[in-house]
Amino acid sequence: MNIDEAIDLLKDKGYKATGRRKDILFYFDEADGYRTAKDLISYLEESYDGISFDTIYRNLHLYSEVGILESTELNGERLFRMNCTHHHHHHFICNECGKTKEIEVCPMNDVLGALANYEIEGHKFEIYGLCPGCKKA
């Protein structure tokens, strides 16, 4: 999803695309991988003196709820990234820097037979480790 698509989605859902909300979108559009609320607040403090964690979490929750951001949990902390809506894929996530690499393989094809009598409503598959840059360091 790009910034223009995200703004259109916000407006379609009845939300205003304020300057702060656009800055949040810009941050995630430029981010390489998952980022924390703390990362975002550090970025926004340069432009918005006194911005609160409540404001950050409200917007992160809103963006997750409408499908702009996707989230995961790593080491007990929730992380966010711009939603990848163009095709189905999964991620390798670096435990050190949070960078992601798309994985085109989906294990669901192997799992469906084992869950033949179940109604599957969704799934998430992530692999964690160190990216080549962090592995060298």
Side-chain angles (χ1 to χ4, degrees), residues 20-110:
R20 183 180 305 156
R21 287 186 174 158
K22 288 178 184 177
D23 286 345
I24 292 170
L25 291 173
F26 178 77
Y27 173 76
F28 282 104
D29 187 54
E30 294 293 314
D32 184 14
Y34 284 93
R35 296 291 173 247
T36 65
K38 186 188 268 187
D39 295 332
L40 177 60
I41 202 165
S42 293
Y43 169 79
L44 291 176
E45 281 177 330
E46 296 173 19
S47 301
Y48 300 97
D49 188 40
I51 192 166
S52 70
F53 269 107
D54 286 344
T55 298
I56 296 299
Y57 280 111
R58 263 195 317 276
N59 281 287
L60 290 173
H61 178 73
L62 169 65
Y63 286 178
S64 293
E65 187 177 288
V66 300
I68 293 170
L69 295 179
E70 59 184 60
S71 67
T72 192
E73 194 168 309
L74 184 62
N75 300 323
E77 188 169 20
R78 195 161 178 205
L79 296 105
F80 302 87
R81 67 172 271 141
M82 194 70 91
N83 199 352
C84 306
T85 58
H86 301 297
H87 65 283
H88 180 79
H89 65 275
H90 299 282
H91 295 114
F92 169 88
I93 304 170
C94 181
N95 284 324
E96 189 67 32
C97 69
K99 287 184 182 179
T100 61
K101 178 174 176 40
E102 288 184 10
I103 303 168
E104 300 301 329
V105 176
C106 180
M108 284 305 293
N109 296 332
D110 297 330

